[in-house]
């Protein structure tokens, strides 16, 4: 689309006196969608710019982490659209296997049923019904935030097209012998009854019991320590280090396993740390990943001692006990036999819990499907090493390489009913057939499909290309792949990012899934604490949007977004951003009421005042700054730059310095009105990607044009008669206004120190000889509430600043004697502080012992005391005699 200059049908020509976000945001968003501003055209000749949304769970609702990342993605795509790109931000949701199945199972439990009462087919149908009725709540909330996504391309990881993509890549990997089935140790949830991925395991410090158990008898005695005593029932060896002299005589011997009628061997393995504990470890290959590896190396049997629900299945006295009941029972039985030689209770240790139901995860030997990742992971690492994919910030590369260079084979099967069912059929005579989307599944007696479904990350790993139509060669895929930027949290770099890199490079013949990975931090509360329901500090961003508007939430999040670092946020900051939105509103209203316009080109440079030239020069520097920060994903810095330009330079200085011109009217007021219109036009364009609603309303009113969404991104402004590379710059005007600012700031500070009220007028004489400040005298007098000196003027205070002198007559406004007394007291305190600091810094013994930070602190105190003395002395010198 090109920028449209037609008069809009809805924005009023006059703005209400106050900005009311609730009355603006919803209507504006629906107008944007209806007009197709966010819909991308694959036939467009514009260059493509693509971002795919990290698909939120279908069970989810908008939280601050979503709002944070969505704000950044929206800002990027809005800016690129304004820059003339065919900008696609593709939305969608993840089917979220475990989370969604749990939701429906909870529903069934309330009806007194389980999924087994329904059977697989009916249960899956019930999940689809739940998805249609309750799922996707977050999509409506994304509209509230202002997400400029292409709703016509919304995808779901179990829609027909993505299901075909999943089946296609599974078949391709299987045929290339990169998918296999094997028994391995996996994370098992005894409540959800499925394997779960590492990302679905949350670790926390639990209070347990560390017991040391004596194995064997006499000289053949070994002591091992464990927090999971029940697993000893499945021990098949004891391991020691091969170089540990204490146990060399026992290696190869059989040791009696307590509480059982079995004997187990002592094996030598370098995995054992001889310096840790007793230097002996029990080996339970079916219930610990390290033990499984030891068992593989030494040919040990794998003895499973509990079922999928964590119930003991061996050894009479403990048979049928839950794993935690069995733990106590086993320790009690060992204690009766005198085999507990040490106990430590409570013993805090890190324990994995299922993120979906908080059940303690059980390492379990299980027959599962796996992806062989060696070659895939190497390709994912090489793509970053050779700069085909850039990680931002660059220092995060090390974490990425640490992961992909040491990646273990990936367990992709889950014992669920909701998800992509594994497309493998087993025949009556042991046949195994993998079926692609265009293949006919085997039929006949004895043929059954694998009951497992695929890990959710398997389908979401295809997201950058499956959402664009792969495996078909669609126009979307041709136009919008590779995607440009992946914006995601650094916490899932190991899981989702690595999966997408591996699958993208594999499926798309080496073409990367995205050119840049922009990693964000996590949103925390205002004290930097992780947000958690248990901490009671979780915030619903919709509450803040209701209270302050979506723009305020977005600006607060963007302002805190330093690449790769966590983002603290509190309500006070959102409130401050709301005030900023109101400030933009009020300043634009003032501008419109005082003739601000964008009609015609800017006046020639010779007609511009120094104030006009200053703000245009600062505007161009801000445009360049913001562009540079966008290219480096420095959202915090670009937001700060825009905030200070808008509030400090445009509203607090340019508007205030220009008020005398506007109030006087005439030709110069028309010139400044055109300049102010240009400045606000460009400022609103720059702000729009981050705060789209308020800027859209103001800009369409100012310009009479259709929408900022399809407006052009601002370039450097040119001024007739002063063309320069990179747009108009005027360092002399900037220096001149800096002098004005210095005078105003110093006099304001002095007035405050004297206790004068803001509106209190004071007679003053301004000596501006030899400076460029004469043209600004009227503006400075208005800003500083300075009256003409008048008859009987007495200079009771003189302030030299920026080459000028401001003489004030404070007689009748302050009690000179009381003020001199107060200042003398402050001066004495500052001189005492200086003496104390100098004494410490002159003490060699003190300096030899004091830490650097203490010395630096005292140096800071000295510098402050010296500055205070100089300031107070100047104030005393300017006061008349009492």
């Amino acid at each position: 689309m090109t920028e449209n200059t037609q008069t809009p049908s809805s924005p009023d020509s006059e703005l209400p006196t106050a900005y009311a976000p609730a009355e603006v945001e919803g209507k504006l968003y629906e107008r944007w969608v209806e007009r197709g501003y966010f819909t991308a055209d694959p036939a467009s000749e514009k260059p493509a710019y693509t971002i795919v949304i990290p698909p939120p769970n279908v069970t989810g609702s908008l939280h601050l982490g979503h709002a944070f990342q969505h704000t950044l993605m929206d800002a990027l795509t809005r800016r690129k659209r304004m820059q003339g790109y065919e900008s696609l931000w593709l939305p969608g949701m993840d089917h979220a296997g475990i989370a969604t199945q749990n939701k429906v199972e909870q529903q069934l439990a309330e009806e007194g049923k389980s999924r087994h009462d329904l059977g697989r087919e009916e249960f899956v149908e019930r999940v689809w019904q739940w998805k249609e009725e309750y799922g996707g709540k977050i999509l409506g909330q994304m509209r509230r935030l202002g997400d400029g996504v292409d709703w016509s391309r919304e995808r779901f990881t179990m829609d027909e097209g993505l299901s075909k993509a999943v089946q296609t890549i599974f078949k391709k990997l299987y045929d290339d012998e990169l998918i296999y089935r094997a028994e391995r140790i996996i994370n098992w949830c005894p409540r959800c009854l499925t394997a779960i991925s590492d990302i679905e395991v949350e670790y926390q410090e639990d209070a347990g019991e560390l017991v040391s158990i004596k194995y064997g008898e006499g000289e053949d005695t070994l002591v091992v320590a464990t927090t999971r005593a029940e697993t000893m029932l499945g021990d098949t060896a004891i391991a020691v280090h091969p170089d540990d002299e204490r146990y060399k005589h026992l290696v190869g011997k059989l040791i009696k396993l307590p509480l059982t009628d079995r004997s187990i061997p002592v094996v030598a393995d370098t995995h054992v740390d001889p310096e840790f504990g007793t230097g002996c470890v029990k080996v339970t290959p079916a219930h610990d990943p390290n033990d499984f590896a030891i068992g593989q190396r030494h040919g040990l049997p794998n003895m499973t001692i509990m079922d999928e629900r964590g119930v003991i299945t061996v050894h009479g006295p403990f048979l049928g006990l839950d794993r935690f009941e069995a733990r106590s029972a086993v320790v009690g039985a060992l204690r009766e036999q005198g085999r507990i030689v040490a106990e430590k209770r409570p013993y805090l240790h890190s324990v994995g819990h299922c993120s979906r139901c908080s059940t303690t995860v059980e390492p379990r030997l299980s027959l599962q499907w796996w992806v062989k990742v060696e070659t895939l992971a190497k390709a994912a690492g090489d793509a970053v090493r050779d700069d085909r994919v850039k990680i931002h910030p660059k220092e995060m590369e090390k974490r990425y390489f640490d992961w992909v260079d040491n990646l273990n084979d990936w367990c992709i099967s889950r014992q669920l009913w909701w998800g992509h069912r594994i497309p493998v059929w087993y025949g009556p005579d042991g046949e195994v057939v993998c079926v692609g989307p265009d293949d006919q599944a085997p039929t006949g007696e004895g043929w059954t499909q694998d009951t497992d479904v695929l890990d959710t990350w398997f389908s979401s790993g295809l997201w950058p290309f499956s959402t664009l139509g792969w495996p078909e060669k669609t126009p979307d895929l041709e136009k919008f792949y590779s995607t440009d930027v992946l914006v995601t949290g650094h916490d899932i770099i190991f899981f989702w990012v690595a999966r997408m890199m591996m699958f993208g490079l594999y499926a798309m013949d080496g073409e990367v899934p995205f050119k840049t990975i922009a990693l964000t931090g996590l949103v925390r509360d205002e004290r930097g604490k992780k947000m958690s329901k248990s901490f009671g500090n979780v915030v619903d961003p919709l509450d803040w949007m209701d209270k302050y508007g979506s723009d305020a939430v977005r600006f607060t999040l963007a302002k805190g977004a330093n690449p790769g670092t966590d983002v603290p946020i509190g309500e006070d900051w959102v409130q401050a951003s709301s005030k900023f939105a109101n400030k933009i509103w009020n300043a634009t209203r003032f501008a419109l009421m005082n003739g601000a316009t964008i009609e015609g080109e800017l006046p020639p440079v010779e007609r511009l005042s120094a104030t006009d030239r200053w703000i245009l020069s600062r505007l161009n520097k801000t445009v360049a700054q913001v562009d540079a920060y966008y290219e480096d994903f420095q959202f915090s810095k670009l937001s700060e730059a825009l905030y200070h330009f808008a509030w400090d330079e445009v509203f607090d200085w340019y508007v205030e310095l220009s008020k005398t011109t506007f109030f006087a009217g005439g030709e110069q007021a028309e010139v400044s009105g055109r300049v102010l219109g240009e400045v606000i036009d460009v400022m609103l364009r720059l702000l729009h990607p981050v705060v789209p609603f308020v800027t859209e309303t103001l800009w369409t009113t100012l310009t009479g044009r259709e929408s900022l969404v399809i407006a052009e991104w601002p370039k450097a402004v040119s001024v007739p008669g002063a063309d320069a590379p990179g747009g108009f710059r005027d360092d002399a005007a900037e220096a001149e206004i800096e002098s004005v600012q210095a005078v105003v700031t110093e006099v304001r500070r002095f007035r405050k120190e004297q206790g004068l009220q803001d509106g209190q007028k004071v007679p003053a004489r301004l000596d501006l000889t030899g400076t460029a400040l004469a043209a600004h005298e009227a503006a400075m007098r208005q800003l500083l509430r300075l009256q003409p000196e008048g008859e009987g003027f007495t200079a009771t205070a003189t302030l030299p600043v920026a080459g000028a002198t401001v003489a004030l007559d404070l007689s009748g406004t302050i009690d000179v004697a009381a003020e001199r007394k107060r200042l003398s007291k402050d001066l004495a305190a500052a001189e005492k502080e200086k003496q104390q600091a100098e004494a410490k810094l002159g003490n060699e013994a003190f300096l030899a012992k004091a830490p650097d930070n203490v010395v630096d602190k005292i140096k800071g105190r000295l510098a402050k005391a010296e500055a205070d003395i100089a300031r107070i002395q100047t104030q005393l010198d300017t006061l008349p005699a009492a």
Side-chain angles (χ1 to χ4, degrees):
M1 294 180 184
T2 56
E3 185 170 9
N4 197 313
T5 56
Q6 70 186 36
T7 302
S9 57
S10 49
D12 297 326
S13 57
E14 292 184 4
L15 293 168
T17 55
Y19 177 49
E23 296 175 13
V24 170
E25 293 177 349
K27 295 174 186 175
L28 265 187
Y29 187 83
E30 292 310 314
R31 186 185 309 143
W32 291 335
V33 173
E34 287 166 10
R35 293 182 177 179
Y37 294 157
F38 306 138
T39 304
D41 181 4
S44 169
E45 294 183 0
K46 296 177 185 178
Y49 183 82
T50 315
I51 292 180
V52 291
I53 202 167
N57 286 355
V58 67
T59 60
S61 59
L62 189 76
H63 57 63
L64 274 174
H66 290 128
F68 172 50
Q69 291 181 359
H70 288 204
T71 294
L72 306 189
M73 285 183 274
D74 196 31
L76 290 170
T77 49
R78 284 178 183 268
R79 173 174 175 260
K80 285 295 183 180
R81 187 178 294 111
M82 294 172 76
Q83 286 183 313
Y85 286 79
E86 195 62 28
S87 191
L88 169 61
W89 185 18
L90 193 149
M93 293 182 298
D94 191 285
H95 65 278
I98 295 177
T100 309
Q101 179 156 321
N102 278 351
K103 289 279 186 184
V104 178
E105 289 199 79
Q106 287 165 13
Q107 229 179 33
L108 288 173
E110 292 171 4
E111 301 170 14
K113 299 177 183 176
S114 76
R115 60 178 161 132
H116 299 285
D117 294 321
L118 274 65
R120 183 169 194 144
E121 194 171 317
E122 190 178 339
F123 176 78
V124 170
E125 179 59 31
R126 179 74 175 257
V127 181
W128 277 107
Q129 290 172 10
W130 182 93
K131 184 258 182 188
E132 294 305 315
E133 187 173 353
Y134 301 104
K137 176 183 177 184
I138 191 172
L139 298 179
Q141 296 167 337
M142 286 163 56
R143 300 171 94 93
R144 281 288 314 276
L145 188 65
D147 283 7
V149 297
D150 185 345
W151 291 110
S152 70
R153 286 178 167 83
E154 181 191 332
R155 303 305 300 267
F156 179 56
T157 50
M158 282 185 64
D159 66 30
E160 185 178 348
L162 268 66
S163 294
K164 182 176 182 180
V166 167
Q167 216 176 334
T168 299
I169 201 163
F170 188 99
K171 170 72 170 169
K172 181 174 169 59
L173 288 163
Y174 184 87
D175 290 346
D176 288 345
E177 298 183 352
L178 293 175
I179 281 184
Y180 64 95
R181 197 180 190 212
E183 275 197 325
R184 298 279 189 279
I185 293 285
I186 43 86
N187 302 307
W188 181 266
C189 176
R191 154 63 184 77
C192 298
L193 298 180
T194 181
I196 59 176
S197 66
D198 291 339
I199 198 171
E200 292 162 324
V201 178
E202 293 180 349
Y203 288 89
Q204 62 189 49
E205 292 292 312
D206 283 2
E209 179 181 18
L210 180 69
V211 294
S212 296
I213 307 169
K214 183 174 67 174
Y215 286 45
E217 299 290 349
E219 293 182 358
D220 294 348
T221 296
L222 295 169
V223 175
V224 299
T226 182
T227 57
R228 301 170 66 219
E230 73 282 5
T231 62
M232 67 155 293
L233 301 173
D235 287 355
T236 57
I238 295 175
V240 299
H241 195 277
D243 298 332
D244 194 331
E245 294 295 334
R246 294 171 296 176
Y247 307 117
K248 273 193 173 182
H249 67 288
L250 293 175
V251 173
K253 283 192 173 184
L254 293 176
I255 300 291
K256 175 73 174 173
L257 179 65
L259 306 182
T260 72
D261 57 2
R262 294 190 293 116
S263 293
I264 57 176
V266 178
V267 299
D269 196 280
T270 53
H271 170 76
V272 180
D273 181 0
E275 304 298 323
F276 184 77
T278 62
C280 305
V281 296
K282 57 191 288 301
V283 182
T284 320
H287 295 277
D288 182 274
N290 293 321
D291 292 5
F292 179 78
I294 293 173
Q296 292 288 98
R297 288 192 289 272
H298 296 276
L300 301 174
N302 301 316
M303 186 173 178
T304 300
I305 61 153
M306 62 182 81
D307 65 15
E308 69 274 11
R309 297 182 185 276
V311 174
I312 301 299
T313 58
V314 298
H315 203 70
F318 312 108
L319 187 64
L321 293 181
D322 171 82
R323 54 186 166 152
F324 300 116
E325 296 172 334
R327 184 171 301 171
S328 298
V330 166
V331 171
L334 289 168
R335 191 181 292 114
E336 285 180 11
Q337 292 186 7
R339 294 203 169 267
I340 301 294
V341 297
E343 295 178 73
K344 187 176 182 181
R345 184 171 39 182
Y347 177 74
L348 286 179
H349 61 132
S350 183
V351 177
H353 295 259
C354 174
S355 63
R356 305 301 176 189
C357 66
S358 299
T359 301
T360 300
V361 169
E362 189 67 36
R364 186 167 189 260
L365 185 64
S366 182
L367 181 63
Q368 302 284 347
W369 285 95
W370 303 80
V371 171
K372 193 181 296 182
V373 300
E374 184 178 1
T375 57
L376 302 174
K378 183 181 184 304
D382 290 345
V384 175
R385 287 190 171 91
D386 62 23
D387 276 343
R388 282 178 290 148
V389 176
K390 290 180 170 57
I391 293 181
H392 190 88
K394 192 172 178 61
E395 55 266 25
M396 287 284 183
E397 281 186 2
K398 183 179 184 302
R399 294 182 66 184
Y400 176 79
F401 291 136
D402 285 347
W403 179 255
V404 297
D405 292 347
N406 299 284
L407 201 57
N408 294 318
D409 285 358
W410 170 22
C411 175
I412 56 171
S413 45
R414 298 291 180 267
Q415 289 64 57
L416 303 171
W417 287 357
W418 172 246
H420 293 282
R421 194 162 173 184
I422 288 176
V424 172
W425 269 255
Y426 305 107
D429 299 318
E431 303 96 328
V432 179
V433 175
C434 180
V435 175
D438 300 321
D439 299 334
Q440 180 65 45
T443 57
E445 189 176 346
W447 283 94
T448 58
Q449 186 178 358
D450 196 297
T451 57
D452 289 351
V453 300
L454 287 162
D455 177 13
T456 295
W457 296 98
F458 190 94
S459 50
S460 60
L462 314 180
W463 191 251
F465 53 94
S466 63
T467 51
L468 295 172
W470 187 91
E472 307 301 327
K473 293 182 178 179
T474 63
D476 275 3
L477 193 64
E478 184 177 350
K479 177 73 175 179
F480 297 111
Y481 190 89
S482 296
T483 69
D484 287 86
V485 183
L486 172 72
V487 179
T488 190
H490 62 67
D491 55 325
I492 59 171
I493 187 173
F494 313 124
F495 306 103
W496 189 46
V497 177
R499 307 297 193 235
M500 287 189 291
M501 284 286 281
M502 290 191 297
F503 279 172
L505 290 162
Y506 174 74
M508 298 300 293
D509 299 321
E511 195 175 354
V512 297
F514 24 74
K515 302 176 185 76
T516 300
I517 302 168
L519 295 171
T520 69
L522 308 178
V523 179
R524 296 181 177 272
D525 70 13
E526 63 268 32
R527 297 178 183 84
K529 194 172 184 179
K530 180 181 178 182
M531 287 192 173
S532 166
K533 290 179 181 177
S534 60
F535 296 152
N537 62 351
V538 173
V539 173
D540 184 345
L542 295 170
D543 292 341
W544 282 350
M545 288 184 216
D546 290 341
K547 197 169 181 180
Y548 303 108
S550 298
D551 282 335
V553 174
R554 290 170 62 113
F555 192 71
T556 305
L557 290 164
K559 206 174 175 189
N562 289 302
T565 60
D566 290 347
V567 182
I569 185 172
E571 186 169 359
D572 289 350
W573 304 338
V574 182
Q575 188 175 25
S577 295
S578 174
K579 289 178 181 177
F580 178 51
N582 288 322
K583 185 77 170 178
I584 299 170
W585 184 271
N586 292 331
T588 304
R589 284 189 74 249
F590 170 87
L592 288 168
M593 289 188 294
N594 286 278
T597 179
I598 64 164
E599 295 305 318
E601 67 176 11
L602 284 169
V605 67
E606 61 269 16
R607 293 180 61 195
L608 301 180
S609 69
T611 309
D612 294 334
R613 287 182 278 115
W614 164 74
I615 196 63
L616 289 172
S617 185
R618 290 297 310 135
L619 175 67
N620 280 344
K621 288 182 178 178
T622 302
V623 170
Q625 239 185 349
V626 169
D627 277 334
Y629 288 143
Y630 261 115
E631 295 306 313
D632 200 34
F633 303 98
Q634 298 280 358
F635 293 96
S636 177
K637 290 182 179 178
L638 72 88
S639 300
E640 287 285 353
L642 287 169
Y643 177 88
H644 290 297
F645 175 73
W647 194 305
D648 299 345
E649 297 184 310
V650 179
F651 308 149
D652 281 359
W653 286 108
Y654 182 74
V655 167
E656 294 300 324
L657 288 171
S658 301
K659 277 182 178 178
T660 52
T661 302
F662 290 130
F663 295 161
E667 183 180 335
Q668 194 56 48
E670 290 181 8
V671 169
S672 292
R674 178 65 186 87
V675 169
L676 182 55
E678 186 76 13
V679 169
I680 290 184
D681 171 19
V682 173
M683 179 193 76
L684 293 174
R685 292 174 193 246
L686 291 172
L687 280 163
H688 176 73
V690 178
V691 283
F693 294 108
V694 67
T695 53
E696 171 85 338
T697 307
L698 295 172
W699 188 83
T700 51
T701 304
L702 171 71
T703 66
R705 296 178 182 173
E706 183 181 341
S707 176
L708 252 180
V709 180
I710 53 171
E712 290 181 7
W713 182 253
K715 299 182 177 67
V717 173
S718 294
V719 174
D723 289 337
F728 176 75
R729 299 289 174 92
D730 193 329
D731 292 339
E734 290 196 42
E736 184 174 324
I737 300 305
E738 283 172 11
S739 296
V740 173
Q741 291 171 326
V743 172
V744 172
T745 301
E746 178 61 20
V747 176
R748 280 176 172 168
R749 185 189 60 75
F750 181 78
R751 286 177 59 107
K752 186 176 181 181
E753 288 175 346
Q754 303 307 316
L756 298 176
Q757 298 299 313
D758 290 342
Q760 190 172 353
K761 294 184 177 180
V762 177
R765 177 191 301 138
L766 274 63
D767 181 1
L768 309 175
T769 307
T771 72
L773 299 174
H776 307 284
E777 180 171 350
M780 289 192 292
R781 282 187 177 277
Q782 181 175 320
L783 287 170
L784 293 168
R785 305 294 188 268
L786 300 181
Q787 293 177 321
E789 52 192 273
E791 190 177 341
F793 176 83
T794 302
T796 59
T798 304
L799 301 174
V801 57
T805 303
V806 180
L808 304 172
D809 184 355
L810 301 177
S811 57
T813 60
I814 63 170
D815 183 336
V816 175
E819 184 63 13
R820 183 173 288 280
K821 183 177 180 181
R822 182 185 71 80
L823 289 172
S824 297
K825 183 178 178 182
D826 290 347
L827 181 62
E831 287 174 337
K832 182 178 180 182
E833 175 73 4
K834 178 187 175 186
Q835 290 170 3
Q836 290 176 342
E838 286 178 333
K840 285 193 174 183
L841 293 173
N843 185 333
E844 294 296 335
F846 169 77
L847 292 176
K849 295 179 181 179
D852 290 345
N853 65 316
V854 173
V855 175
D856 289 342
K857 189 175 180 180
I858 295 169
K859 287 179 179 177
R861 284 169 48 195
L862 176 60
K864 183 179 182 304
E866 290 174 336
D868 287 345
I869 290 167
R871 176 178 55 80
I872 297 166
Q873 191 61 60
T874 299
Q875 290 177 248
L876 282 168
D877 292 343
T878 59
L879 286 175

